[in-house]
Amino acid sequence: MAMIKLAKLSIVGVGMRSHAGSGDNLFKALGEEGINIQLISTSEIKISVVVNEKYLESGTKCLHDAFGLHLDIKEVGTSN
């Protein structure tokens, strides 16, 4: 029997208490990448999902994009 390796991806922040939609952003981003979620765990300030380990890098990148974490620090807070 082949063993499936798993990885955990999480979004964390106290702002999740007051900003709705964090879970929606996470699930939409992973879904658009075709990444199946095996398990979901939540708390007031954290959402974690377990995925196949082969999606760890692509999942991390798509979540960084979905939450604007790929932006250069100079880009944050500036408006054009």
Side-chain angles (χ1 to χ4, degrees):
M1 179 177 233
M3 204 187 231
I4 298 174
K5 292 185 178 184
L6 302 173
K8 180 171 75 170
L9 298 170
S10 300
I11 57 171
V12 180
V14 293
M16 291 175 59
R17 289 181 186 171
S18 58
H19 291 83
S22 298
D24 185 47
N25 288 344
L26 178 141
F27 300 128
K28 182 178 178 183
L30 294 178
E32 288 175 353
E33 288 293 313
I35 299 173
N36 291 323
I37 297 170
Q38 304 296 319
L39 180 90
I40 302 167
S41 174
T42 64
S43 75
E44 286 185 5
I45 63 166
K46 178 172 71 171
I47 301 172
S48 296
V49 296
V50 174
V51 300
N52 188 307
E53 184 183 50
K54 70 182 179 180
Y55 296 117
L56 178 59
E57 186 173 339
S58 62
T60 300
K61 286 180 181 179
C62 81
L63 291 180
H64 279 207
D65 289 344
F67 288 92
L69 301 175
H70 64 287
L71 298 176
D72 183 71
I73 193 69
K74 294 174 188 171
E75 296 177 31
V76 176
T78 61
S79 60
N80 295 330

